[in-house]
Amino acid sequence: MSIIILIPGFIAFYYALTQSPHKAFLKIYVPVLLFIPTYYYWKAPGLPDPNAQQAAILAILGVWFIRGTPGWKFSFTDVLVFGFALTLIYSEYSNVGYKESQNFIATVIGAVIAPYVLAKALIEPAGLRIQFAKSIVIVLAVVTVFALFQTVTKADFTLWQKVMGPFFGGQGWEWPTQYRWGLPRAAGPFGHAILAGIVMVVGYRIQRWLQWSQAWPQRPAQLQWLPIPLPTLLTITLFIGALITLVRGPLSGAIVAAIVLLIGKTKKRWTIFWTLVALFVIVGIPAISWFINYASVDPALARNENQQTVAYRWQLIENYVDIANKRFVWGWGRMTWPKVPSQPSIDNYYLLIFLQHGMMGLGLLLALLLSMMTRLFAHAMLQPVAQPLGSSLGFTLFSIYIVIVWSIATVWLGEQTIYLLFLLLGWSEGYLLFYNQNLQKTTSGLVAAAPEPKFRFRRIL
């Protein structure tokens, strides 16, 4: 029965072939990525075990190659992305051999390379920025509605596990519901509540950008019955979607991102920027010192659950850095590093990637994140103030990376989050590469939206 996971791949291939890879990417891949759990897969005898996301993206990638790779333009970020992917593959292969690493190799191709390549080539060069953002928001709004089942009923499983589980021979049930303050933490189709929190906060930030850009109609003709304007409804929905995950890392990251976004929400951006820098120096440095003292205690002596969690993560670094240093360059592979019995779970992706894939993996990941954030921020600061205020995509993408960089210090980059990160990296790279081209087209009227006709007549030849 698990072979049904290939259906999205067939649909995506047909849609890409008969319509275009662009439409298949927006209308098939994005919903599949954000709605179907990655932990359901087909156990293919002798082959890598694909999930729905891999089946869909590789089908579209194949048609995109057949069509001559439209929208592709080489850039230095490609070197970092492909270098990171090859590092992961070589590290795993050198530690366990091909037979044990074939599923991981397929995952790297489907979760790192393909999303980056297609997002870079199919969104900005084709002028599909708004459509892409809207597809993410709409799917996550639907996910929120379904995820509320777990919150309202206090079920020990998600609706996805209940409906899809029987088709996959027990797959997915290894993700039990987590609780906080006696309430279930909604995980949606993302496996873990923290991963769900990251995805939902990213969706919320994208929706706020759409709302500030006035990209949504206030009351579409088909939705006149809505009690509040559509943009407001979507913002509230995604805010609820993030809130019901009951996660501290992504939500605190969202607060930091919102503060940084103040720079893009005002005409006095440099004043706000230097104010934030001053606040970081005055408040941030003492706060870091306080945090180190707060975290560096024995978890058994912690005053409360929060301090115990922080202390556990601090001890992870103390206990595992020496182990990582023993295979400094290429790491131990995904599952073969020596475990500390009291700390089997590595709740810090930077430490985890260092353990698994060495300084090569960690260095390339940090180079990707920091270089992209630096370029986005510099680009946004040097452009004229966006109108309406808040409609600068550069500041929004920069704020999203803040959320991700902050959050993965508390969890691994797993399930859909790694797909989403490289999707965002591809989108960001396309935005930076094609910004001037798209601006020139817009100002010259080549891609300006045509006015709505006053009357709609049928044209018959």
Side-chain angles (χ1 to χ4, degrees), residues 80-325:
L80 295 178
V81 170
F82 282 91
F84 178 70
L86 291 174
T87 294
L88 301 190
I89 290 171
Y90 175 75
S91 169
E92 184 68 8
Y93 172 79
S94 64
N95 278 291
V96 298
Y98 175 74
K99 184 176 180 181
E100 296 298 325
S101 63
Q102 62 175 354
N103 282 335
F104 180 69
I105 293 171
T107 297
V108 171
I109 295 170
V112 174
I113 296 175
Y116 169 77
V117 167
L118 291 184
K120 177 182 174 181
L122 300 183
I123 300 171
E124 292 294 326
L128 296 176
R129 178 188 305 171
I130 297 294
Q131 293 92 321
F132 175 67
K134 284 184 175 181
S135 64
I136 290 176
V137 168
I138 291 170
V139 175
L140 290 181
V142 175
V143 167
T144 298
V145 173
F146 283 94
L148 281 168
F149 162 83
Q150 194 175 10
T151 301
V152 173
T153 64
K154 296 186 178 181
D156 290 328
F157 49 81
T158 68
L159 207 55
W160 287 267
Q161 290 168 312
K162 181 67 173 178
V163 174
M164 299 183 68
F167 293 96
F168 293 94
Q171 294 176 23
W173 292 105
E174 68 270 17
W175 295 100
T177 298
Q178 301 126 9
Y179 289 83
R180 175 163 287 162
W181 308 311
L183 299 172
R185 302 164 64 187
F190 308 114
H192 194 287
I194 302 181
L195 303 180
I198 294 173
V199 176
M200 297 307 301
V201 170
V202 168
Y204 174 80
R205 287 266 56 99
I206 291 174
Q207 164 53 20
R208 290 296 282 161
W209 171 72
L210 286 170
Q211 188 174 15
W212 291 331
S213 302
Q214 300 175 7
W216 296 104
Q218 291 296 306
R219 293 184 185 275
Q222 305 89 336
L223 300 173
Q224 290 292 324
W225 49 268
L226 287 176
I228 57 177
L230 177 63
T232 305
L233 178 63
L234 289 170
T235 297
I236 293 172
T237 301
L238 292 192
F239 179 79
I240 292 172
L243 202 61
I244 61 178
T245 61
L246 301 179
V247 291
R248 291 174 291 218
L251 291 178
S252 58
I255 294 171
V256 176
I259 293 172
V260 172
L261 269 174
L262 290 174
I263 301 172
K265 283 285 289 176
T266 177
K267 295 179 180 179
K268 299 179 179 179
R269 59 172 63 166
W270 287 107
T271 302
I272 298 297
F273 170 71
W274 289 115
T275 301
L276 291 176
V277 171
L279 285 173
F280 174 77
V281 173
I282 296 169
V283 178
I285 294 176
I288 292 172
S289 176
W290 172 86
F291 176 79
I292 292 173
N293 292 330
Y294 180 78
S296 54
V297 299
D298 188 330
L301 302 176
R303 294 191 298 270
N304 50 51
E305 181 186 352
N306 289 339
Q307 188 178 22
Q308 189 176 40
T309 301
V310 172
Y312 175 88
R313 289 185 167 93
W314 186 265
Q315 279 197 347
L316 278 173
I317 298 172
E318 294 178 339
N319 291 337
Y320 278 104
V321 164
D322 288 340
I323 295 173
N325 282 330

Side-chain angles (χ1 to χ4, degrees), residues 323-344:
I323 295 173
N325 282 330
K326 290 178 181 177
R327 294 194 181 179
F328 183 80
V329 179
W330 297 108
W332 293 83
R334 287 185 309 139
M335 308 298 291
T336 55
W337 72 84
K339 308 294 191 300
V340 175
S342 61
Q343 293 189 306

Side-chain angles (χ1 to χ4, degrees), residues 5-28:
I5 208 69
L6 298 182
I7 292 175
F10 291 119
I11 296 173
F13 180 77
Y14 175 79
Y15 211 90
L17 205 58
T18 58
Q19 300 289 322
S20 70
H22 305 74
K23 289 185 178 180
F25 184 75
L26 295 181
K27 297 184 178 181
I28 308 299

Side-chain angles (χ1 to χ4, degrees), residues 24 30 37 43 54 61 63 76 134 138 181 221 287 289 297 378 394 398:
V30 172
K43 296 180 180 179
Q54 294 167 12
L61 186 69
V63 177
F76 179 71
K134 284 184 175 181
I138 291 170
W181 308 311
S289 176
V297 299
F398 177 75

